[in-house]
Amino acid sequence: MSKPFIVVSDGMDSGVFSDLRNTDGLEVHPEKKVSQEELKTLLPKVEGLIIRSATSPDKAFLDAAPNLKYIIRAGEGTDNIDKAYCQEKGIKVSNTPGANNNSAAEHALALMMTTLRHTANADKSMKNNEWNKAAFTGNELWNKTVGIIGFGRIGQLLCKRLQGFEPQVLFFDPGVSESPFPWAKKVDSVEEIFKTADVISLHTPLIDATRGMVNYDLMSKMKPSAILVNAARGKIVNEDDLYKILSEKKIKGAGFDVFAEEPLGESKLRELENIVLTPHLGGSTEEAQFRVGEMAAHQMKEFFLNNKLLNEVGA
Ligand code: MLT
């Protein structure tokens, strides 16, 4: 009997990948990362697929994969998968909930600190043989009001990791009825956070209600001294409006890890001094990649070898 053919398209921890490759009963493609061109050639045969954010199974992709039965998003967000079409075609979808959340929360914290203390610009200037203390006077995080929009696993972890900075934490999340932490206060609207917080961090999934939610009107409610951090999903923020508000210097700065289109192309955001940009590094730590890989590999084995579907994500 032929073995289910598995492809890992966007990279995986090497040790976890070789364990998966050595699993009896599965035929795993020998490369742990394949180009999108190569992936196209594998689609007619693939039965199980493990992806991160670089692969986006849309209708055309799924139609080209007639034998595909199971997609695992090694990570949290599944917005890069056409889940409704997967459901129509009987293709199951899972993610690896929680496995990279600490890294994502820590990256949001890193973006906050870098934006507040101008560390990235100061580093660039030092490498340019300068010593320009005056240009990089920053602000403290200690004792500030931090607003967290989206208080799921990552938002809550960020709230815990922030504790040492003794902030006042406000959060908005219609799905969380009361605050799980005495130092965090639930508020009733996103506007309240935009009006009052010194640091705003986005942690919602990309859904209809959050797509384009952060626009010029909302950002213009921010204090001129406030900063905005996005390590969630690019499309939550209107990027033209973000450019406008930052170039008009209506807010102090921003730290962004995610963008409407990834990889980020020739964006005007790249020209601004008051934004720190990183290439979707939220889940990119060795620790997180080990955990997501291990969980994804386990789920793949359970699905094909034990007929068990773990951490299914619905349409
Ligand atoms: C996720 O959804 O898991 C994060 O954005 C991190 C990632 O894609 O690597």
Side-chain angles (χ1 to χ4, degrees):
M1 217 175 77
S2 75
K3 298 176 182 177
F5 180 55
I6 313 299
V7 174
V8 178
S9 66
D10 302 336
M12 184 183 250
D13 174 88
S14 303
V16 175
F17 182 69
S18 47
D19 282 355
L20 184 66
R21 284 262 299 147
N22 292 331
T23 307
D24 285 340
L26 296 180
E27 182 197 342
V28 180
H29 181 71
E31 293 158 65
K32 63 179 182 192
K33 190 174 168 93
V34 295
S35 68
Q36 292 296 302
E37 286 69 44
E38 190 181 355
L39 183 58
K40 270 189 202 147
T41 68
L42 299 170
L43 286 183
K45 201 182 151 202
V46 66
E47 290 169 76
L49 178 64
I50 299 180
I51 63 170
R52 286 180 64 198
S53 54
T55 301
S56 298
D58 57 12
K59 279 200 174 78
F61 180 107
L62 296 165
D63 282 339
N67 293 303
L68 187 57
K69 296 178 182 63
Y70 189 30
I71 302 175
I72 301 179
R73 166 69 163 93
E76 197 71 30
T78 53
D79 48 280
N80 54 330
I81 304 172
D82 187 337
K83 296 186 289 296
Y85 199 53
C86 282
Q87 196 172 57
E88 220 176 294
K89 293 184 80 94
I91 299 167
K92 302 293 184 195
V93 176
S94 293
N95 65 350
T96 59
N100 64 12
N101 291 177
N102 183 64
S103 288
E106 286 186 11
H107 194 61
L109 199 46
L111 287 172
M112 283 175 200
M113 293 309 294
T114 312
T115 307
L116 287 169
R117 300 303 299 267
H118 312 298
T119 334
N121 284 342
D123 174 70
K124 251 186 262 162
S125 153
M126 288 295 278
K127 306 254 168 87
N128 218 10
N129 283 325
E130 294 165 2
W131 182 270
N132 198 351
K133 273 171 87 101
F136 302 119
T137 305
N139 291 98
E140 292 183 347
L141 181 54
W142 176 63
N143 220 0
K144 294 291 191 304
T145 298
V146 179
I148 301 179
I149 316 246
F151 214 55
R153 279 188 295 265
I154 300 174
Q156 291 191 22
L157 260 179
L158 172 64
C159 185
K160 282 204 223 169
R161 302 292 177 261
L162 274 167
Q163 233 189 323
F165 292 94
E166 301 173 70
Q168 190 200 355
V169 175
L170 305 177
F171 73 88
F172 174 77
D173 191 325
V176 177
S177 54
E178 58 189 64
S179 176
F181 311 113
W183 68 94
K185 182 174 162 234
K186 179 178 158 77
V187 298
D188 295 328
S189 71
V190 172
E191 282 76 13
E192 199 173 330
I193 288 188
F194 273 75
K195 274 186 197 152
T196 50
D198 301 300
V199 173
I200 299 168
S201 198
L202 306 175
H203 296 283
T204 64
L206 180 67
I207 50 173
D208 287 345
T210 61
R211 194 179 298 273
M213 171 180 80
V214 181
N215 56 20
Y216 190 81
D217 184 42
L218 192 60
M219 287 184 280
S220 52
K221 297 188 179 1
M222 288 168 71
K223 298 186 202 172
S225 56
I227 65 162
L228 175 66
V229 166
N230 188 7
R233 283 296 177 265
K235 287 183 178 148
I236 298 168
V237 179
N238 180 314
E239 270 171 20
D240 288 336
D241 291 357
L242 175 70
Y243 176 80
K244 193 161 184 264
I245 211 102
L246 286 169
S247 53
E248 291 168 350
K249 303 229 163 49
K250 292 226 164 113
I251 64 172
K252 193 74 175 266
F256 269 59
D257 185 46
V258 287
F259 305 92
E261 296 303 330
E262 294 183 8
L264 181 68
E266 277 182 31
S267 166
K268 291 182 291 185
L269 294 176
R270 292 184 190 268
E271 296 160 16
L272 296 171
E273 285 283 301
N274 51 355
I275 185 167
V276 175
L277 304 171
T278 53
H280 202 148
L281 296 180
S284 293
T285 60
E286 290 176 9
E287 294 86 345
Q289 284 315 300
F290 175 76
R291 290 191 298 264
V292 292
E294 195 176 47
M295 207 160 160
H298 173 69
Q299 290 175 189
M300 193 54 84
K301 291 183 212 171
E302 286 294 288
F303 183 79
F304 283 107
L305 306 178
N306 296 325
N307 209 16
K308 268 196 210 152
L309 176 59
L310 302 174
N311 296 318
E312 182 177 17
V313 181

